[in-house]
Structures are given as structure tokens and as C-alpha cells.
Amino acid sequence: MTHAGSEPRANVMVVTDALNSGGAERVAVDIANSLDRSRYRASFCATRAGGPLEQRLSSDVELDVLGRLVKWDARKLVTFGRITRRRNISIIHSHGRGTMKFVSLAKALGLVDAKHVFHDHFGWLHLDRGAGVGLREAMRREVDQYLGVDHRLCRWAEQQVGFPSDRVHLVRSGVDIGRFVDVEPVDVRAMIGARADDTIVAMAANFRSQKDHPLLFRAMALLDDDVLQRMQVVIMGATHVEPDYFRGCMDMVERLGIGDRIHLLGERDDIPRLLAGCDFAVLCSKNETGPLVVLEYMASGLPFVATETGEITSAVHDRGVGLVTAPRDDVEMADALTEMMRMDPTRRRAMGRTGQRLASSTFSQESVTREIEAVYRTLL
């Protein structure tokens, strides 16, 4: 399809492992949805499975779910190649290192003839800064442009992988502001049976060790009783991802005697409405390269307490939108929670409005996608 006085639209395929509600997957969906439709036709491929994020894909984004069950599924590689040729894909935008290697193998086998943009969200650099031979060769040979959501990832790509610096780009995550503005709040207070003067604290984080829920629990145990008794924490996130970790968290909650302060909501598809019904939010991660959820808190107008673990948290550290603490520091987290709990509600709301304006002006998905499209143009 062409437009008067313009070039034909380029076909872009965004690829992830699945469509679960993780940060990388949410970024991928938001990019597919916000590409400039006058320049690009968007499609999406989940190599393993679909998931709840399917419902967030725009109606004009064609979706394929390959259903591969093993790492190197030969039949699914062939299927993937056929789909990219049938759709005349010019650019494949992969998210996640496993997905990148799947796409790279398809290219190496000659099944795919498209430029390859790799979007790296890897959040475990504090544990693994290496680059094995398979990862290094896949990137060097079959990736055309590298996007890192954190400056540490960009440095890793250059230094550990040897990826050319002129093809490495820092692209902070963005947030779809429209999903969080003018939503109908859930009455979270009524949902959990809280009192009128309780403060409702949101934590949107799947139960994974990286998210360090125990930091929050230990910090809560350090709070003065008058603070703790007014605090109600609602945790939104999957409990099945790391079963042993989840059981350990629940054992800790019981041991610390804070079970009546913690409310588990599980995986939810109404996060914006739930956040709108809370007073402030918290994130306790050990290490992140985003974290996207901080932007979602800001877009919801929620001030927050968050550990300084990623590109976004560092960027908003001194912007008056939340309190930032060191990771794994129980005392510092407890102090920040106390300050937020004792803060006048009017001031908290003003802090949240400042965060909402900052999210809109600096971290909107539209502005981030325009940066990504500039990378696409270098390939086209």
C-alpha cells in the first residue's frame, strides 16, 4: 500500500517469546501499537505462546503465535521464515536474548531476509556480565542494530560482545500515557476491607527473586506501630513464576507477623484502574534495567518509593516524583516508607501530579517510538 507522494510502507515484525505481562513484553506491544502507520505496517510474532497482552495489541497488528516447545524447533524456524516472506518483512525487532538468538538462527539458515534490530532488556547484569560464544556470535553476525534500555547494557554490548558503537543505541522505555489517564478507579479500599484512614500502597511486581519482595517485608517489620497499622499493601503480580521464592515470601510474611497488612491480587488485566485506587506505590528490585513499572506509577499519578536500580529510576531520582533508596537496604526502605506514610495526602497527590506530567513530557511511548523509527530509517 502506498500513500500519495510517499514511499511504500515498510513491514515491521515485533517478536517476543510470549505475550505474558512482563516488562519487556509490554514494551514490545506498545512499540507495535505506536509505530507511525503512514510509514510502517506492524505485525507481531510470539515464538512460544500468546498471553494476556494479546488483548492490548491494536486491531491492525497481525499476530502469529508459533507455539515452539523447544529452544531450537526446526519446524517453527521454517514456519517463522515463511511468515516473514509472506508478509514481506523488512525489519524484525526482537525483544529478549532468547528471541534474538531464535531470529538470528533463522537468518543464518537463510530462512529470513530482513534487517534485525535487537532490543535488550536483560536485568541480571549484577550477576552475569559475560557473553558466551553463542550469544556473541549471534549478535555480531545476525544483528544489525542494538537497542539497550540501560546505559550498562549498551556498554556491555560494546565491551563484552564487541558490537560496533555506531550501531548501539540507548533507548529508555516509554509508557502509553493514554492507558492510565481518566480511568475509573477500582475501590481498592473496599476490595480489601480497609478503613477510611488507611493508606493503600501498591506494588506491581510478579513474584520473582529479582523483584525482592522480602526487602519490603523486612522494612515493614521495622516501621513504628502507628505507621504499620495504617498501611495496607496490595501486590499485583503472578505467584507461579518462581514457586519456591513465592513460598519463601509467604513464610516470611507469616514469621514477621504482617500478614494482615499484605493483600495478594494475583495477575490482573486492570492494573491502571487498580493503581488509580491507591495512595502511593513501591518497588524493591535488586536490579533492573528499566524499570517500566516506575513509569506506570508516574502515569497513574502515584508517587512512589523505589530502589535505584535502573535507567528510569536514576533519571527521575531528583525530580520530586518519588523517594529513591539503595537496593537491599532495609533501614533506608523503612525510612522512605515512613516519610511517604506520614506525608500530608495533599502533598503526596501533588507529587503524583508532577510525576504524571514528567511521564507525559519525557517518557511517552510516542516519543520513544520515534527514536526507534530513526534507527529503522538507517536500515531502510
Side-chain angles (χ1 to χ4, degrees), residues 108-147:
L109 294 173
L111 300 172
V112 168
D113 181 20
K115 299 295 185 180
H116 184 189
V117 175
F118 169 39
H119 206 137
D120 197 1
H121 305 262
F122 186 67
W124 294 90
L125 284 178
H126 63 304
L127 297 177
D128 181 10
R129 291 182 179 270
V133 174
L135 177 62
R136 197 164 57 244
E137 290 304 304
M139 285 183 62
R140 284 177 177 174
R141 294 176 182 272
E142 305 299 344
V143 171
D144 297 287
Q145 299 284 338
Y146 175 92
L147 310 182

Side-chain angles (χ1 to χ4, degrees), residues 35 62 137 189 297 342:
L35 286 172
E62 295 181 278
E137 290 304 304
R189 185 169 273 98
Y297 293 161
R342 288 181 170 161

Side-chain angles (χ1 to χ4, degrees), residues 15 18 86 144 288 352 368:
V15 186
R86 184 175 71 245
D144 297 287
E288 294 265 8
V368 172

Side-chain angles (χ1 to χ4, degrees), residues 289-300:
T289 49
L292 177 62
V293 73
V294 168
L295 292 182
E296 295 178 338
Y297 293 161
M298 290 165 59
S300 298

Side-chain angles (χ1 to χ4, degrees), residues 212-327:
D212 203 8
H213 297 73
L215 172 62
L216 172 63
F217 304 149
R218 294 192 302 268
M220 289 175 66
L222 297 175
L223 298 176
D224 291 344
D225 193 59
D226 70 301
V227 174
L228 181 61
Q229 292 308 311
R230 292 188 297 107
M231 185 178 189
Q232 299 283 357
V233 178
V234 290
I235 301 178
M236 313 155 199
T239 61
H240 64 273
V241 182
E242 295 181 17
D244 291 342
Y245 170 75
F246 173 68
R247 284 191 291 270
C249 287
M250 294 302 97
D251 288 345
M252 175 179 286
V253 167
E254 185 69 24
R255 189 167 62 252
L256 294 174
I258 58 173
D260 60 336
R261 306 289 101 193
I262 303 294
H263 307 271
L264 305 183
L265 304 187
E267 284 189 275
R268 303 286 298 222
D269 59 7
D270 57 349
I271 295 293
R273 296 183 62 229
L274 287 166
L275 292 179
C278 297
D279 296 304
F280 73 90
V282 65
L283 182 71
C284 297
S285 298
K286 297 175 183 177
N287 197 70
E288 294 265 8
T289 49
L292 177 62
V293 73
V294 168
L295 292 182
E296 295 178 338
Y297 293 161
M298 290 165 59
S300 298
L302 283 185
F304 57 83
V305 176
T307 49
E308 186 167 6
T309 56
E311 194 72 34
I312 292 167
T313 317
S314 298
V316 302
H317 189 168
D318 298 314
R319 306 295 290 271
V321 298
L323 304 177
V324 179
T325 72

Side-chain angles (χ1 to χ4, degrees), residues 199 227 230-231 280 337-343 348:
T199 301
V227 174
R230 292 188 297 107
M231 185 178 189
F280 73 90
L337 289 173
T338 298
E339 181 179 347
M340 192 68 79
M341 286 288 297
R342 288 181 170 161
M343 188 180 295
R348 268 203 312 257

